Amino acid sequence: MMGFISDADLAALREQVRRGCQELQHPYPAFVLFISFSSGKERAAVRMVRGATYNAVWQAGVAAIRELAEQQTGENFWLRIDWPMAVEATTFAELHRMLAGTKRNYFRLGISFDENFEHALLEQELNANAMLYGGNHNPTAEFNEGNFRAYFQSRFPITPLPAFGDDTRVHLFTSKGAFFDGDTLHDLYPTGRNAGRRIIDALSIPLLNSLIAAGSDFLADQVGADGCFVYGLHPCFDRSIDSYNTLRHASATYAMIEAYEVTRSQSLRDAIERSLTRMRDDFIVRTDLPDGRPAAFLVEANSEIKLGGNALAILALAKLAEVEGGDADHGLMSRLAAGISFMQDAESGAFRHVLDFPSVATKDAFRTIYYEGEAAFALMRLYDLTGNGALLAAVQRSFSHFIAAGYERHHDHWLAYAANELTRHCPREDYYRFAIANVAGHLDFVANRVTTFPTLLELMMASRQVLTRLEGDREHAHLLGHIDRSRFGAALERRALYLLNGHFWPELAMFMKNPARIAGSFFIRHHAFRVRIDDVEHYLSGLIAYRRQALEAAATVGLGQRNLAGDRDAPEDCPQAQPVG
């Protein structure tokens, strides 16, 4: 025994690395191993071993593992071993051209600054230290000399910095790896879009449960005693995002309640209550409208009232009522709905997006397409709870506007959520056509988008509910001919699995400054691995929907088709428009 890894685990790791490791050709060392270790408290320390035979290199690697483990303190034992698969020499000028043609943070090659791999950096080191990130002003990768200098000097403290001239020779390499988390040995994907994370072929229910628990635990940990979230983190350097957004406070709370329905975690429930209390007592302002009707608005720190803010507040409160029962928040939700009604034109169904508080004068007639779908979705969820026909009528007015304005071109996930809920209660052909058109022309984008784009899974999950319902609707089943169901299913599954590239697995988190703080969360790679509460929210909502529909599909095996629309039958006649509130 080595004290921190058993002889059996060490032997298994040795063989796994040996099976994948390829001998490099001259002039490079025959075998190169990168040994990375983190206890979770510190950024991974990395050592390189090189040699002419695998046995010699492995023995040097074992010594490096022992050295690294003895230097760090913490609860975790995260050990990762990577090795080059292929190497190609080039110049710094050519590297700059390659970076200029690569989306920021999507450069997936390692760099060695000499043929002997004495001074080399893994792709994960480069990206986790923002060495190829020039800021969000540049959509492509960019060599960041300041960040490079800081990390290179910490990794190679007695080595002069490489020259950065156009003719400077560098060696780019692909790689593969293995990861040991203290219990289990994981094979890692080689260089490519999935590079550096554990190989997973399918989203099983146990895996989904684990992802949902980890992501929601992360959100719960961000809620302080005052009920406010740590709004976001830049994990490369463990920096908090100091701004705040009450709309996203509400949306993150909604996602936590969705997750609580799955996990029933008491610590999560406690965080939900702190967050809701802050939202109810401080962020929501109760007031009277100019016509005297009681209303309420979710107000931002800059005194903006956002249409989407009221919507997300309703969604959070309605979800809690659905999960736990009770009507304690019905009055508050009705006032928030009255605020949404005040922002809707009674004739056209269009919404004003942003008002000023307390004047409630229009500040922005339009800001983002998201707000309108959020508003319609929230009103439908409140209708489910109350049966108030005025809410359904308001959504119908909004859909008249959406259809007339061609909003299906936006392929928006919130509009998909709203269309799914509306067609449950009003299965009209024009609503179904809108729901299908909202996704049908977007399937290639869903399947192939290089970023994880978690809202795409939400779009697909809500749309699949509509398509499943159409299968049992004799009057409207012909509309299924407007979408390629096979391509839809393939795109959905590919996008769902692709979301795993945005999860902070330990084997990725270990390269960040404070791994334990962000392990288990979800990130946006092209924003320098940003972890913001709304980023995590969207990953969670998509994965929760995927899990729910997977369980529903499993439950129907052998039972034939069943109506997944819910307990309420669709009304024969939808209510006529009338005021909300």
Side-chain angles (χ1 to χ4, degrees):
M1 290 283 293
M2 195 177 289
F4 43 80
I5 182 172
S6 72
D7 292 339
D9 287 330
L10 194 61
L13 181 59
R14 180 188 189 281
E15 290 309 308
Q16 185 158 336
V17 173
R18 182 66 187 93
R19 284 194 300 270
C21 197
Q22 296 183 8
E23 186 171 346
L24 300 178
Q25 299 301 308
H26 181 77
Y28 305 109
F31 295 96
V32 178
L33 296 181
F34 291 79
I35 313 293
S36 305
F37 180 85
S38 174
S39 65
K41 290 182 65 175
E42 306 96 354
R43 193 189 300 275
V46 184
R47 298 288 184 272
M48 291 178 298
V49 292
R50 302 164 298 283
T53 68
Y54 180 75
N55 287 341
V57 170
W58 180 256
Q59 290 305 313
V62 170
I65 292 169
R66 180 183 290 111
E67 177 191 352
L68 290 171
E70 289 174 351
Q71 290 177 359
Q72 299 198 45
T73 61
E75 298 180 357
N76 300 297
F77 183 89
W78 293 341
L79 172 63
R80 175 170 166 155
I81 302 180
D82 293 89
W83 54 91
M85 299 287 287
V87 190
E88 182 176 327
T90 187
T91 63
F92 218 81
E94 180 58 28
L95 174 60
H96 277 297
R97 284 192 287 271
M98 293 175 67
L99 293 174
T102 304
K103 190 173 184 65
R104 63 178 182 237
N105 289 113
Y106 277 83
F107 187 79
R108 309 306 298 268
L109 300 175
I111 303 176
S112 179
F113 295 90
D114 54 81
E115 292 178 347
N116 200 39
F117 273 79
E118 291 183 2
H119 307 101
L121 299 171
L122 291 166
E123 173 249 312
Q124 287 76 23
E125 293 180 272
L126 293 166
N127 284 322
N129 291 277
M131 298 161 76
L132 304 178
Y133 179 75
N136 60 14
H137 65 280
N138 189 350
T140 63
E142 177 183 337
F143 185 72
N144 187 314
E145 185 173 337
N147 290 344
F148 178 90
R149 180 187 303 273
Y151 184 72
F152 188 90
Q153 290 180 332
S154 70
R155 269 273 269 125
F156 308 107
I158 62 174
T159 302
L161 282 169
F164 299 131
D166 285 350
D167 295 331
T168 299
R169 197 166 178 81
V170 293
H171 308 266
L172 307 181
F173 62 93
T174 61
S175 60
K176 194 178 185 308
F179 176 73
F180 181 66
D181 62 11
D183 294 308
T184 305
L185 183 58
H186 301 276
D187 216 9
L188 305 182
Y189 282 105
T191 295
R193 288 191 178 185
N194 304 326
R197 70 163 174 88
R198 62 195 64 186
I199 294 176
I200 295 173
D201 297 324
L203 289 172
S204 66
I205 296 300
L207 174 61
L208 289 163
N209 290 343
S210 175
L211 293 168
I212 292 164
S216 57
D217 284 347
F218 171 81
L219 282 181
D221 288 343
Q222 306 314 300
V223 183
D226 63 355
C228 283
F229 289 88
V230 176
Y231 182 54
L233 301 167
H234 290 303
C236 292
F237 304 113
D238 194 31
R239 294 171 183 162
S240 297
I241 299 173
D242 294 331
S243 58
Y244 211 74
N245 183 302
T246 60
L247 183 155
R248 289 172 178 154
H249 177 109
S251 67
T253 306
Y254 169 63
M256 287 200 298
I257 300 169
E258 285 189 299
Y260 174 70
E261 190 174 25
V262 175
T263 70
R264 297 293 173 172
S265 161
Q266 186 57 50
S267 60
L268 177 59
R269 183 63 185 85
D270 292 343
I272 289 167
E273 191 55 42
R274 294 195 303 274
S275 176
L276 285 174
T277 298
R278 187 61 184 258
M279 184 180 79
R280 293 187 190 104
D281 294 349
D282 295 327
F283 298 153
I284 295 175
V285 178
R286 294 151 182 84
T287 187
D288 290 334
L289 296 173
D291 63 5
R293 281 186 296 154
F297 295 102
L298 187 80
V299 181
E300 296 286 353
N302 65 353
S303 299
E304 285 188 346
I305 296 169
K306 298 172 181 174
L307 175 66
N310 268 36
L312 268 304
I314 291 173
L315 286 170
L317 296 171
K319 187 62 183 179
L320 184 69
E322 176 193 339
V323 172
E324 295 192 338
D327 57 5
D329 287 314
H330 279 207
L332 179 55
M333 286 188 283
S334 292
R335 292 184 74 131
L336 289 163
I340 291 176
S341 175
F342 177 70
M343 301 175 81
Q344 184 181 36
D345 184 272
E347 296 299 323
S348 70
F351 292 99
R352 293 178 291 159
H353 283 200
V354 184
L355 309 180
D356 177 68
F357 186 82
S359 71
V360 297
T362 301
K363 182 174 182 178
D364 282 333
F366 183 94
R367 180 169 292 180
T368 172
I369 190 63
Y370 297 152
Y371 290 171
E372 301 190 42
E374 289 166 344
F377 181 37
L379 295 181
M380 288 306 306
R381 282 292 176 87
L382 185 54
Y383 173 68
D384 264 342
L385 289 176
T386 67
N388 180 354
L391 298 166
L392 182 57
V395 177
Q396 286 186 273
R397 289 195 298 273
S398 72
F399 265 78
S400 294
H401 168 63
F402 300 160
I403 292 168
Y407 272 17
E408 69 278 2
R409 70 185 185 277
H410 295 295
H411 310 296
D412 177 55
H413 61 291
W414 291 114
L415 290 171
Y417 279 131
N420 175 49
E421 297 295 330
L422 181 58
T423 54
R424 287 177 56 220
H425 299 281
C426 291
R428 285 176 26 176
E429 181 160 331
D430 54 345
Y431 298 156
Y432 275 133
R433 284 183 177 276
F434 178 90
I436 293 171
N438 191 45
V439 70
H442 210 47
L443 299 181
D444 286 341
F445 187 90
V446 171
N448 299 315
R449 176 68 176 178
V450 66
T451 63
T452 47
F453 215 136
T455 57
L456 292 178
L457 182 59
E458 295 183 82
L459 167 69
M460 297 297 282
M461 300 314 301
S463 300
R464 186 161 76 174
Q465 285 189 278
V466 173
L467 300 178
T468 300
R469 188 176 310 111
L470 272 173
E471 291 174 350
D473 186 330
R474 294 180 181 177
E475 181 180 355
H476 300 107
H478 66 279
L479 297 174
L480 291 170
H482 291 276
I483 189 168
D484 186 328
R485 299 294 302 283
S486 177
R487 284 181 59 221
F488 178 92
L492 187 156
E493 295 300 331
R494 185 169 181 178
R495 179 54 44 182
L497 197 59
Y498 197 68
L499 256 60
L500 299 186
N501 289 334
H503 182 61
F504 259 132
W505 303 98
E507 58 265 29
L508 299 179
M510 66 189 294
F511 292 98
M512 300 294 166
K513 184 174 182 179
N514 187 352
R517 191 178 187 190
I518 45 88
S521 68
F522 296 90
F523 60 84
I524 304 298
R525 174 178 281 269
H526 63 283
H527 288 307
F529 300 88
R530 183 192 71 198
V531 179
R532 207 169 63 189
I533 56 175
D534 56 311
D535 299 330
V536 179
E537 162 216 335
H538 288 300
Y539 279 96
L540 282 175
S541 290
L543 292 171
I544 290 166
Y546 185 94
R547 175 189 180 274
R548 180 174 58 249
Q549 292 186 36
L551 290 172
E552 288 175 345
T556 63
V557 175
L559 299 178
Q561 290 291 332
R562 66 185 180 94
N563 185 2
L564 298 180
D567 296 329
R568 186 190 300 274
D569 292 331
E572 293 182 5
D573 297 303
C574 294
Q576 297 300 307
Q578 50 188 299
V580 177

